[in-house]
DNA sequence: TATGAATGAGGGTTCATTCAT
DNA sequence: AATGAATGAACCCTCATTCAT
């Protein structure tokens, strides 16, 4: 089983996908991610997947349908659990400090995040142009997850570990920084030299303490 | 003079642009920004600009040439000065604290940033797919600007106002948060209700102090 | 038994058709009639028939084969008997006048004609484009039937009830008027208000006496 | 100037058609008429017209647009004048009898009718499937022309030359017979031996006197 | 026998680009 | 300089037909 298929299993294990369907999805993710949705052609995807072009349209009514079929489950099945799962651990007092929690979460899932990056890239690239995706994202990710996050943040706030800023803002800022790092690192400038461990540590440090010196 | 033409003047005032060329650029920015580069057609741009299709190709050899002609000067003439200019003020001790500096910078240029957002959006949308733009961005923006930033940051660090983190990281994190806010606000979820003043204040607060409670 | 199946029985009662075959034919007639042969897709027919696409091609080698299988028996088993049958009655002096004969024939079979119209429509739509059908039509309908008609017409001519025009011409003109009414009524402008009884009466009157005033 | 171009001139002389546009229309008429609209491909039409396929879509937004652009002017510019023109002569008492009028009309325009037949064929083939055409036909031909016809018919009725049947019915029946002859002759069975003069004469005779013997 | 996934040729249409005017 | 008709490759998608199950 290739890496891609592993990722697919994470994304699509509930659905019964035929062999060809898996190949189409793998090829589509690769192509969309490399060239962007609009610049990808179904014929190229078909060739890369080793199927006839018509086969794509047997499974996905339109090219956009293919896009949505890739990105939508990511939102429902991947991103939500990714965050929520360990938040429960946090709520169960497994982590004494937010710092530890952030470090554990990021480190813990870094490989998966890296493997998922193509799809994440597609997702953020297309959200500005596809109202359908934007609405799904708001409904499934923003609303759904931010609810869970709120509890955790409030928990830490009550423990006196977080400032009193409203939970949504804290969530937005934290997520911004994590995604900001990942996008800079893997999408915008992958060819630069990065010391990943160090940058993650700095990101966490920044999230926790900002850049102002305590005195 | 329309708003767009004002923006154009900021971007292109040195070049002698014909009236039609200006219209083409305005139309291209609007279209690229709305639909993305690949999904925009030159015929649509021509129609929106009120010129013949051929006219576009008289001024810009290819569609990609049009894209680069829009984004490249942004990098050289807009973003660089935007940051550097006030950094010099900072170096001249005009601002006692980083906070004040950040606030002044953001507030000061907010309107312009908002008006520039279409082009900024295009820039970030296309950087992952256009190596030409990516290299330009690295060369002109990252290297060029980060050099200036370093001095400022070092200055504040020497004054004991910033932590000891390496200047590049501080720059990256700061920029990430500013752009992160602007992208969330204007590109990803413009339809949500935002209290801009408040969010900017929180972003600044976050940049300076993180989310961890000092005690 | 539905109306369609009744019609099918009239058309195909000798052949042993499976249940699925009947459903395919009903669906094909409906689709061909609504959209025309070329604009109908086998997949739509399959869906409407509730069978798999492959099933159609198990029974009919090609799409055209399906068309011919529908229209051909119509010519041999329906139209020919339709006319000939009562012509025998006429020959047996059941009708004193041609008028009565025409009226009886049309009225008598009007419901059936209406129910058959989808297939008749297909037949006339496709005859110009399918040489196979055209030849069959000439062989089975024109030659075969016109022979019978000739006898009837000659019979009435001998009785002094018809003018001396050659039987083929009389046949052509009569049929033209009946079909012309039916086509105007049911195919070209079904949405107009028609007083069927009245129009039939006028058609008969016209066939018999033209529009010139006797003096 | 070829025959087709002559016909085109009759149909489209008011519009300024480029050379390529004329070729496209000629090719489209030929192809639609031979194979039917749905079975004709734009690539075939382009090849036959000697233009690039894209050129078709520069002038006609869609394939259906091409169809309508061919058939619509036929209705407005050809069929209407065809009938109305001589009806005025009739009203001016140029013809003593309806028979003479019919003969003059048919003979007079037979060549043109024959040359127009491909377009007439397309028109009647597609009216059942294209609501757009059907409505146009009703609006432009049926309503428009039948108004004129009514006057003529009433004129002859007042002169005692026509029976008292309602003008619309007389019109429908007359037109049915003329088109019925033309369709049988040129569309359905062009390969049969026809004595055109004789058949026209018989059609006229039939229209005037029916098939019933006066006595 | 019946299925429906798979095919790949061909469908209508769009597009960036060219070039004569 | 500016036009816009013309191009033809490429696009997304549909289709009749095949074949392993």
């Amino acid at each position: 089983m290739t890496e891609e298929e592993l990722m697919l299993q994470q994304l699509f294990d509930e659905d019964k996908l035929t062999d060809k369907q898996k190949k189409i999805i793998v090829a589509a993710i690769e192509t969309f991610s490399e060239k962007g949705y609009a610049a990808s052609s179904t014929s190229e995807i078909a060739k890369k997947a080793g199927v006839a072009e018509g086969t794509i349209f047997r499974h996905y009514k339109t090219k956009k349908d293919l896009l949505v079929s890739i990105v939508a489950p990511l939102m429902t099945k991947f991103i939500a659990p990714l965050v929520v799962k360990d938040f429960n651990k946090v709520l169960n007092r497994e982590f004494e400090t937010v710092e530890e929690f952030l470090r554990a979460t990021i480190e813990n899932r870094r490989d998966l995040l890296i493997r998922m990056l193509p799809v994440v890239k597609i997702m953020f690239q297309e959200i500005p142009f596809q109202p359908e995706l934007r609405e799904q994202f708001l409904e499934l990710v923003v609303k759904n997850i931010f609810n869970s996050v709120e509890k955790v943040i409030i928990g830490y706030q009550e423990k006196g570990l977080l400032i009193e800023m409203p939970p949504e803002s804290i969530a937005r800022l934290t997520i911004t920084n994590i995604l900001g790092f990942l996008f800079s690192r893997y999408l915008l400038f992958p060819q630069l030299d990065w010391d990943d461990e160090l940058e993650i540590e700095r990101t966490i440090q920044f999230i926790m303490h900002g850049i102002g010196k305590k005195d």
Side-chain angles (χ1 to χ4, degrees), chain A:
Chain A
M1 187 179 272
T2 68
E3 280 225 1
E4 283 83 31
E5 284 171 334
L6 253 165
M7 184 186 72
L8 274 185
Q9 215 184 25
Q10 298 239 7
L11 263 181
F12 304 105
D13 51 359
E14 293 166 34
D15 308 317
K16 281 167 191 168
L17 296 181
T18 68
D19 190 48
K20 305 239 167 191
Q21 238 169 319
K22 277 184 210 160
K23 281 181 186 163
I24 289 169
I25 288 184
V26 171
I29 290 173
E30 190 179 330
T31 312
F32 287 161
S33 177
E34 266 171 25
K35 310 188 152 187
Y37 169 74
S40 302
S41 80
T42 51
S43 86
E44 184 188 357
I45 293 169
K47 204 174 291 170
K48 198 174 274 174
V51 304
E53 206 173 345
T55 307
I56 292 179
F57 291 94
R58 172 158 291 277
H59 295 292
Y60 306 93
K61 263 162 67 129
T62 65
K63 187 187 166 193
K64 185 166 291 176
D65 200 35
L66 177 58
L67 170 69
V68 171
S69 298
I70 287 170
V71 178
L74 174 80
M75 303 198 206
T76 53
K77 295 184 193 146
F78 180 77
I79 291 190
L82 172 72
V83 183
V84 172
K85 198 174 161 193
D86 280 348
F87 274 1
N88 291 330
K89 288 188 193 168
V90 173
L91 292 170
N92 299 335
R93 316 278 169 204
E94 264 187 42
F95 299 101
E96 273 305 299
T97 66
V98 185
E99 233 154 328
E100 281 169 35
F101 161 64
L102 281 175
R103 188 174 300 112
T105 302
I106 297 178
E107 296 265 321
N108 179 16
R109 298 179 181 281
R110 227 179 96 213
D111 288 347
L112 187 56
L113 273 168
I114 291 169
R115 229 184 298 128
M116 295 301 301
L117 263 172
V119 200
V120 175
K121 179 181 176 185
I122 296 170
M123 187 171 107
F124 279 89
Q125 283 287 343
E126 294 307 319
I127 277 183
F129 304 127
Q130 316 283 356
E132 197 175 354
L133 288 185
R134 189 161 50 230
E135 279 161 32
Q136 277 196 21
F137 186 78
L138 276 170
E139 204 60 41
L140 300 173
V141 180
V142 177
K143 290 198 184 155
N144 222 326
I145 295 180
F146 274 41
N147 279 347
S148 305
V149 173
E150 206 162 330
K151 292 181 199 161
V152 185
I153 290 173
I154 291 171
Y156 279 116
Q157 283 176 328
E158 284 169 355
K159 286 176 74 178
L161 297 173
L162 290 177
I163 58 174
E164 301 305 318
M165 194 182 282
E168 316 92 73
S169 293
I170 291 183
R172 176 175 73 72
L173 290 161
T174 308
I175 290 169
T176 291
N177 278 277
I178 293 173
L179 288 181
F181 164 63
L182 291 169
F183 269 65
S184 305
R185 169 66 184 85
Y186 293 105
L187 302 185
L188 293 177
F189 311 114
Q191 76 285 12
L192 296 182
D193 281 335
W194 292 83
D195 181 338
D196 290 346
E197 303 297 337
L198 194 58
E199 286 299 330
I200 290 174
E201 205 53 41
R202 278 176 188 153
T203 302
I204 292 171
Q205 185 194 340
F206 174 80
I207 292 172
M208 292 312 297
H209 306 107
I211 55 175
K213 200 161 191 175
K214 305 174 220 172
D215 55 346

